[in-house]
Amino acid sequence: MENVEIAQLLTELADLLEIQGANPFRVRAYRNAARTVRDHPGAVADLVEAGEDLSALPGIGKDLAGQLATLVRTGRLPRLEEVAAEVPRSLARLVQLDGVGPKKARKLWTELGVTTIDELERAIEEDRVAALEGFGPTSVARIREAIEHYRRQTGRFRLDVAEELIRPLVAHLEAAPTAERVVVAGSYRRRRDTVGDIDILVVAEEGWSDLMERFTTFRSVERVVSAGETRGSVVLRSGLEVDLRVVPAASAGAALQYFTGSQAHSVALRQIAVRQGLSLNEWGVYRAEDEAHAEPLAGATEEEVYDALGLPWIPPELRENRGEIEAAREGRLPELVALEDLRGDLHMHSTWSDGKASIEEMARACARRGYAYMVISDHSPALAMVGGLTPERARQQWAELDRVREAVPDIRIYRGMEVDILRDGALDMDDEVLAELDVVIISVHSLMDMDGPTMTERVLRAMAHPAVDILGHPTGRILGKREPYALDVEAVLQAARDLDVAVEINANPRRLDLNEIHARRARELGVKVAISTDAHSLDGLEHMRFGVDQGRRGWLQREDVLNAMEPDDFERWLRRRAEGRA
Ligand code: DGT
Ligand code: CA
Ligand code: CA
Ligand code: ZN
């Protein structure tokens, strides 16, 4: 069992207990345990198998340790089964909809008998939900949108979740004696924000049936869909589907190209092949007249496949048939930004608001990552429930920043704040404080269901404030959970250009906001893009690579990215308005 799977079950149990109205401390205990297991660096299952005492882990007592051991050994969590006998398990799925917490789920269940998303949809159509106390039209509209979003996303997995789920399988295949190379292709290799399924390619000259068996009998496989000589397909317990292809080295490049896709990109490539009297398939590039039996002209590497078609190699992130083939042909492929290009992280929280680590801990972690600079950007007071900073506390924080600057001298630490954009577009902080901040990020965190024109107005007005540097998570989407706000992104990006405000790619794999299409448009308009983690913990800082992946999908080059600037250039950028006025 993988850590993510265990964590999912514990979270489900916590949700069901909460819906049942169980003791909040018990609920919290399961939630904490879920987090501990999810964040544990090694497989918790291995600890159990090694006979180690799990109660040594943070937040896991004797009782929970026993339950986890049972879960790992038997695949069953008796406590979950007990609760599920009283509270339908499908209610745990309801809770994952934006706008439906455990309390609302309980109400829907006990008062309307709603236990599934279908039933909830029907109850909304029949106006039974709006009639419930504590729901109201706004909240019903939000739930309806969440259901639509769920329907669209169904079956897709977030990239980071997919990574966690397949890492052990990939390692298992790599350990096979005849496997020369194991590559994950498909949308995963193209670094899409979500993946429909996983496509694994194994390069091997022999032992194919052993490889196939190794694949279909892997411990987290729930069901084998098919298993032929060179192709197999399974469903993991998590519900994630995995396709496997085994290919010989001579065809590895062609197969990798084919299974990386996208289909639209590959179709366009095949048309190019045909025009040159060639044919392209998953085994190689051939002269059109002698396909089947002939030796391919190319096939062992992707480079030689593209080369045979008269093209330079195209990075997987660009392979969506959105102009990359034309750009390749004309020698104007972008030189994509890379993780190593980033010199700082511009958005993170500390214990001063809802972060889990102190400023000093965050600073040390950023310095360890090799950053030259960083911005501490805790929330403003509108987010009262997370301890948003009042002007007074902001000033206290600056004193703390001075202290940390001395303690951690090898990184430049800037005063920042993630300032809420209020209902009317005003900023949730005094102008005097704003003027003393080095970096002002503005974000929408409330009233997210405004209509498009009103929301756009609101954001445009906020951006026009002269203290503003970066628009944070501009569309507010949460993958699998919340649709973007109704927002005219084009108008926002044009305003960003006119006002010299940067826009964020929030690197948190739940958000990845802006998406790649909007990031690309920002680049076209000459708007700087900040790729920032919005970390709320030390681990959160690790998300940077997901943001970079999306930036690459958006054709961003180093010079498009605000935090790829050298420290002095970045400081000059921060002073851009002052200098303009001088
Ligand atoms: P996903 O799984 O929905 O996130 O997206 P992909 O791109 O991974 O799509 P998938 O898993 O159906 O197929 C993986 C790759 O295999 C795809 O990117 C291109 C290739 N492929 C699959 N089916 C076809 C097909 O019918 N024609 C062509 N040309 N290529 C295909
Ligand atoms: Ca796929
Ligand atoms: Ca597939
Ligand atoms: Zn935020």
Side-chain angles (χ1 to χ4, degrees):
M1 251 194 163
E2 314 307 340
N3 289 351
V4 255
E5 295 176 83
I6 298 174
Q8 273 169 5
L9 288 172
L10 292 172
T11 303
E12 186 182 355
L13 175 51
D15 287 340
L16 293 181
L17 283 169
E18 197 166 352
I19 293 167
Q20 190 182 38
N23 180 333
F25 291 103
R26 257 182 90 205
V27 175
R28 182 134 9 108
Y30 284 108
R31 290 206 197 286
N32 288 341
R35 188 170 323 120
T36 297
V37 171
R38 196 180 47 230
D39 295 346
H40 192 72
V44 167
D46 291 345
L47 295 180
V48 171
E49 270 149 36
E52 293 198 24
D53 181 8
L54 294 184
S55 61
L57 298 177
I60 299 199
K62 279 269 175 282
D63 172 65
L64 247 163
Q67 292 189 54
L68 287 178
T70 308
L71 174 59
V72 169
R73 293 210 183 91
T74 67
R76 297 177 50 197
L77 189 57
R79 200 64 52 86
L80 177 60
E81 292 168 13
E82 281 164 36
V83 180
E86 294 174 26
V87 186
R89 279 182 81 162
S90 54
L91 284 169
R93 188 66 200 75
L94 276 196
V95 171
Q96 286 168 33
L97 293 174
D98 187 43
V100 185
K103 282 198 192 66
K104 286 200 164 134
R106 179 182 172 80
K107 223 174 186 134
L108 290 166
W109 172 45
T110 54
E111 300 196 15
L112 301 180
V114 164
T115 60
T116 66
I117 291 181
D118 286 342
E119 289 167 3
L120 175 56
E121 200 166 29
R122 211 168 316 128
I124 290 176
E125 296 317 319
E126 294 164 3
D127 284 335
R128 288 185 288 138
V129 177
L132 279 183
E133 193 200 325
F135 278 78
T138 330
S139 121
V140 169
R142 185 163 160 212
I143 296 171
R144 180 182 285 143
E145 265 181 38
I147 294 176
E148 279 168 22
H149 187 70
Y150 165 78
R151 300 254 185 257
R152 268 195 296 280
Q153 285 283 327
T154 240
R156 294 194 73 83
F157 285 71
R158 271 192 351 240
L159 187 55
D160 61 315
V161 174
E163 275 190 1
E164 293 257 317
L165 289 171
I166 60 153
R167 191 172 298 135
L169 172 56
V170 169
H172 182 69
L173 292 170
E174 280 170 338
T178 62
E180 288 167 28
R181 209 174 143 209
V182 178
V183 199
V184 184
S187 51
Y188 180 97
R189 183 163 178 246
R190 304 197 312 278
R191 306 311 284 161
R192 270 195 68 176
D193 47 25
T194 58
V195 300
D197 72 359
I198 292 290
D199 307 277
I200 301 181
L201 199 72
V202 177
V203 181
E205 296 304 321
E206 53 196 45
W208 289 15
S209 59
D210 290 347
L211 278 163
M212 194 54 69
E213 173 156 344
R214 205 180 170 84
F215 172 63
T216 55
T217 58
F218 183 62
R219 53 185 152 94
S220 49
V221 168
E222 181 174 85
R223 192 157 57 82
V224 178
V225 179
S226 65
E229 193 192 353
T230 62
R231 298 168 159 242
S233 186
V234 300
V235 182
L236 304 182
R237 270 198 308 276
S238 52
L240 182 60
E241 280 185 46
V242 184
D243 293 341
L244 178 79
R245 272 84 174 194
V246 190
V247 296
S251 291
L256 184 55
Q257 193 293 307
Y258 183 92
F259 294 116
T260 297
S262 66
Q263 193 170 329
H265 174 88
S266 296
V267 167
L269 278 192
R270 271 202 296 280
Q271 287 164 353
I272 290 182
V274 169
R275 260 182 262 136
Q276 303 177 8
L278 304 170
S279 78
L280 166 68
N281 63 30
E282 54 189 286
W283 303 101
V285 180
Y286 300 83
R287 250 182 288 277
E289 61 269 17
D290 51 22
E291 197 152 350
H293 8 269
E295 280 287 299
L297 301 174
T301 67
E302 277 194 327
E303 284 80 359
E304 69 177 50
V305 168
Y306 281 98
D307 188 56
L309 304 177
L311 296 171
W313 181 82
I314 299 176
E317 296 91 333
L318 299 183
R319 300 184 194 171
E320 300 289 350
N321 196 27
R322 292 179 185 149
E324 73 280 7
I325 295 176
E326 294 76 3
R329 201 162 39 206
E330 293 158 17
R332 42 177 191 83
L333 279 175
E335 209 167 296
L336 298 179
V337 63
L339 186 57
E340 306 77 62
D341 293 334
L342 296 199
R343 306 303 318 277
D345 191 339
L346 307 181
H347 184 169
M348 70 188 75
H349 299 263
S350 75
T351 44
W352 285 73
S353 66
D354 56 352
K356 294 202 172 55
S358 68
I359 294 174
E360 181 165 346
E361 287 168 323
M362 293 303 268
R364 289 194 190 281
C366 284
R368 240 187 341 266
R369 293 181 64 91
Y371 290 148
Y373 52 90
M374 61 185 284
V375 179
I376 293 287
S377 55
D378 279 304
H379 289 287
S380 66
L383 284 190
M385 71 285 193
V386 303
L389 300 182
T390 57
E392 191 192 354
R393 285 190 68 236
R395 293 206 160 81
Q396 289 164 7
Q397 185 184 53
W398 300 343
E400 168 77 1
L401 286 181
D402 286 337
R403 195 193 65 71
V404 176
R405 283 180 185 128
E406 280 179 25
V408 192
D410 36 353
I411 186 162
R412 299 190 198 180
I413 307 174
Y414 296 113
R415 288 178 186 172
M417 191 180 294
E418 185 183 13
V419 180
D420 260 58
I421 300 176
L422 301 175
R423 174 196 288 272
D424 60 354
L427 299 188
D428 179 35
M429 187 46 57
D430 304 351
D431 282 351
E432 300 79 67
V433 174
L434 291 174
E436 286 185 69
L437 289 166
D438 299 312
V439 177
V440 174
I441 304 167
I442 54 168
S443 306
V444 169
H445 290 122
S446 62
L447 302 161
M448 293 182 250
D449 39 19
M450 286 179 164
D451 65 77
T454 315
M455 181 61 102
T456 304
E457 236 340 275
R458 174 187 181 188
V459 172
L460 291 180
R461 175 167 172 225
M463 288 169 75
H465 190 292
V468 170
D469 297 302
I470 302 170
L471 176 63
H473 45 74
T475 74
R477 74 166 180 177
I478 305 285
L479 289 164
K481 208 171 159 94
R482 190 167 77 208
E483 288 283 290
Y485 333 122
L487 179 72
D488 182 346
V489 177
E490 176 64 22
V492 166
L493 292 176
Q494 291 192 13
R497 174 196 56 198
D498 298 342
L499 297 163
D500 214 348
V501 165
V503 293
E504 182 177 85
I505 291 181
N506 192 294
N508 186 316
R510 294 166 192 274
R511 290 189 181 269
L512 295 174
D513 176 14
L514 294 177
N515 68 21
E516 75 260 42
I517 306 276
H518 293 143
R520 187 166 169 192
R521 180 65 183 144
R523 172 191 185 219
E524 240 169 53
L525 289 169
V527 173
K528 284 262 179 280
V529 178
I531 304 180
S532 306
T533 61
D534 193 2
H536 285 70
S537 66
L538 300 183
D539 287 343
L541 295 168
E542 308 285 328
H543 287 151
M544 191 58 98
R545 62 192 178 86
F546 292 103
V548 172
D549 288 340
Q550 295 313 304
R552 291 167 64 88
R553 286 179 60 76
W555 293 52
L556 298 188
Q557 311 197 103
R558 192 181 136 172
E559 59 266 31
D560 303 314
V561 177
L562 182 60
N563 46 322
M565 283 185 180
E566 292 305 319
D568 291 342
D569 294 334
F570 177 65
E571 289 194 1
R572 208 164 302 125
W573 186 86
L574 290 178
R575 290 193 307 265
R576 66 202 179 287
R577 292 201 185 96
E579 279 171 5
R581 277 200 294 271

